[in-house]
Amino acid sequence: MPTSTRPRNALYAQSGGVTPVINASAWGVIDTVRQHPERIGSLFLARNGILGALNEALIDAATLTDAQLASLKTTPAGAFGSCRHKLKKDAEFDRLVALFEAHDIGYFFYNGGGDSADTCLKVAELARSRGLDLTAVHVPKTIDNDLPLTDCSPGFGSVAKYIATSAREAGLDIASMAPTSTKVFIMEVMGRHAGWTAAAAGLAAANADTPPHLILVPEIAFDEARFIAAVSQTVERVGYCVVVASEGIRDGEGRFLAESGATDAFGHAQLGGVAPVLANLVKEKLGAKVHWAVPDYLQRASRHIASATDLEQAIAVGQAAVGFALEGKKSVMAAIVRDQATPYRWHVDAVPLSDVANKEKTLPRDYLDAEGYRLTEAGREYFAPLIRGEAFPPFVEGMPALPNWHFDDVAKRLVPFKG
């Protein structure tokens, strides 16, 4: 608990790839802070993640209108902007210290995935090393669902619902045209090192003959000959084949099938598109007509078909993060704990941030069958509760009612940051 009795200010920021429900976590943080004016003074919202903190581009949450607050629960993407930025320069750490002191920041809430957990931990360690009275709490989100120590990550349930729905709908399209047109359809989904999103598509399959027929995940090495044989056998048996593949599938020697050669701010390899690689392979080996699609940003912006469970959890981790901070819990993440599968019951608990940062949770092998291509009952039991329930946004004239965000920055107290 902070040593001072006066209310300290707080800073919230969004980071990494955005999700259909990350703004709902922001709502959870803002609404809970407003309920404790005796403990937390002003809540500042950083523009574009940690970059907003470095550039002192801050929004006072008190200036948000009731309509803007309500829209946070129904709008995808990052209302306050996000970023991918790895803290590594001494000048950046010095700048953060200056910002915290200039704006009397006593609480830091960072909403993001694995790399963001690393940033949050770095900020917590910085505060400790510099003698700052700062409580840092990580608010989880990632559509990849690869954060450890949490049953699932907010954002994933809605993406899983979108991908499974798309696989079922596209499967019907392919089935109707297969006699004279496309025989194989390949959908590439996000998932660099973990196949959670691809595996969730298996919820669309009612039996062995309904799509997706083949699921490809990074945890199982891609075998070209085995894959081609499976596609051929499926087309012969069913008349067509639908494949859902993680972007990060690798060959037997650990090489990405679609590595572009570039890297991002955290040093991760940029992937160049596995769907066309697979499509060309099928066309070359089988001579079949193939179509492919990459939902890409569509899957993580799909608020129109969000999971009600996912929305509820996104709000809950934001609320819990503030609660943990007020309890004096430092350097923790608000994690979702599954109490039971049927009916699905869960709660939020605090877990050490040091056990989350720079770690990944991969897909359990028993979630896919012996062939590694289809969802098992164990996998279905895990995924099914996460996509349940509908949480439609309001619609106006047939379109989702999405705001054009506009926020004013607070007055700067520091000189411009030169980096």
Side-chain angles (χ1 to χ4, degrees):
M1 190 176 295
T3 56
S4 174
T5 57
R6 62 186 172 81
R8 303 290 305 289
N9 298 327
L11 178 65
Y12 166 86
Q14 299 172 326
S15 179
V18 292
T19 83
V21 296
I22 187 173
N23 289 330
S25 292
W27 183 91
V29 169
I30 295 169
D31 184 69
T32 308
V33 166
R34 287 187 170 190
Q35 295 175 36
H36 297 279
E38 78 289 352
R39 298 289 304 280
I40 301 179
S42 296
L43 170 62
F44 299 112
L45 313 169
R47 290 187 184 273
N48 303 315
I50 200 68
L51 293 179
L54 293 173
N55 294 315
E56 201 183 4
L58 309 178
I59 303 158
D60 187 341
T63 64
L64 271 63
T65 66
D66 289 343
Q68 287 175 324
L69 280 174
S71 292
L72 288 174
K73 292 194 286 186
T74 62
T75 306
F80 313 111
S82 187
C83 73
R84 297 189 190 278
H85 182 77
K86 188 177 183 68
L87 290 173
K88 52 189 176 183
K89 298 179 182 177
D90 288 342
E92 292 177 328
F93 293 117
D94 292 341
R95 176 67 170 194
L96 288 177
V97 170
L99 179 89
F100 294 153
E101 291 178 338
H103 292 276
D104 193 23
I105 303 297
Y107 305 92
F108 178 59
F109 303 106
Y110 210 41
N111 196 174
D115 291 329
S116 304
D118 175 67
T119 297
C120 191
L121 182 60
K122 278 185 169 65
V123 170
E125 292 172 340
L126 170 68
R128 188 162 50 249
S129 67
R130 299 290 184 91
L132 298 178
D133 182 12
L134 181 79
T135 298
V137 179
H138 184 236
V139 185
K141 71 86 210 164
T142 174
I143 68 167
D144 290 336
N145 201 41
D146 57 358
L147 283 172
L149 303 186
T150 183
D151 179 62
C152 58
S153 300
F156 172 71
S158 294
V159 170
K161 188 181 185 79
Y162 176 89
I163 293 300
T165 299
S166 298
R168 176 168 287 184
E169 293 177 337
L172 290 173
D173 184 299
I174 303 304
S176 66
M177 299 296 295
T180 59
S181 185
T182 302
K183 298 289 187 186
V184 180
F185 174 68
I186 300 169
M187 180 165 62
E188 174 187 330
V189 301
M190 291 181 175
R192 175 182 302 275
H193 298 136
W196 295 98
T197 304
L203 291 172
N207 54 58
D209 288 343
T210 53
H213 304 103
L214 304 178
I215 295 169
L216 305 179
V217 298
E219 291 86 347
I220 299 176
F222 177 77
D223 184 310
E224 178 181 311
R226 199 166 69 88
F227 169 69
I228 291 299
V231 172
S232 179
Q233 292 164 9
T234 302
V235 172
E236 183 177 348
R237 187 183 77 252
V238 183
Y240 66 104
C241 181
V242 173
V243 180
V244 176
S246 296
E247 63 182 343
I249 59 173
R250 304 167 182 253
D251 63 19
E253 297 186 7
R255 294 172 301 205
F256 288 117
L257 262 67
E259 191 166 332
S260 69
T263 58
D264 65 14
F266 286 84
H268 303 314
Q270 292 285 342
L271 304 183
V274 76
V277 172
L278 294 173
N280 289 334
L281 181 62
V282 171
K283 185 176 180 180
E284 175 189 338
K285 298 295 184 180
L286 299 180
K289 185 173 182 179
V290 186
H291 274 209
W292 57 269
V294 184
D296 197 44
Y297 283 18
L298 299 179
Q299 63 198 305
R300 75 185 201 192
S302 56
R303 181 59 186 82
H304 66 286
I305 194 171
S307 154
T309 299
D310 192 31
L311 178 63
E312 183 182 357
Q313 291 180 332
I315 292 172
V317 295
Q319 294 170 326
V322 177
F324 294 149
L326 293 177
E327 291 170 10
K329 295 179 179 178
K330 296 186 175 185
S331 304
V332 298
M333 181 183 80
I336 298 165
V337 179
R338 182 177 297 217
D339 298 316
Q340 66 180 50
T342 307
Y344 183 48
R345 292 196 179 120
W346 54 277
H347 69 278
V348 182
D349 201 357
V351 298
L353 192 51
S354 58
D355 292 339
V356 176
N358 299 310
K359 297 177 175 64
E360 291 179 313
K361 177 180 68 177
T362 56
L363 183 76
R365 180 61 183 84
D366 66 346
Y367 283 11
L368 295 177
D369 65 10
E371 299 295 321
Y373 288 142
R374 294 184 67 82
L375 196 63
T376 61
E377 283 305 311
R380 187 172 292 273
E381 181 179 63
Y382 171 78
F383 289 114
L386 307 183
I387 72 166
R388 287 193 185 131
E390 284 64 58
F392 300 118
F395 280 73
V396 176
E397 295 184 356
M399 290 291 293
L402 303 179
N404 291 316
W405 298 115
H406 175 75
F407 308 107
D408 294 322
D409 288 0
V410 301
K412 296 183 185 297
R413 300 180 180 180
L414 302 173
V415 297
F417 181 54
K418 301 298 184 182

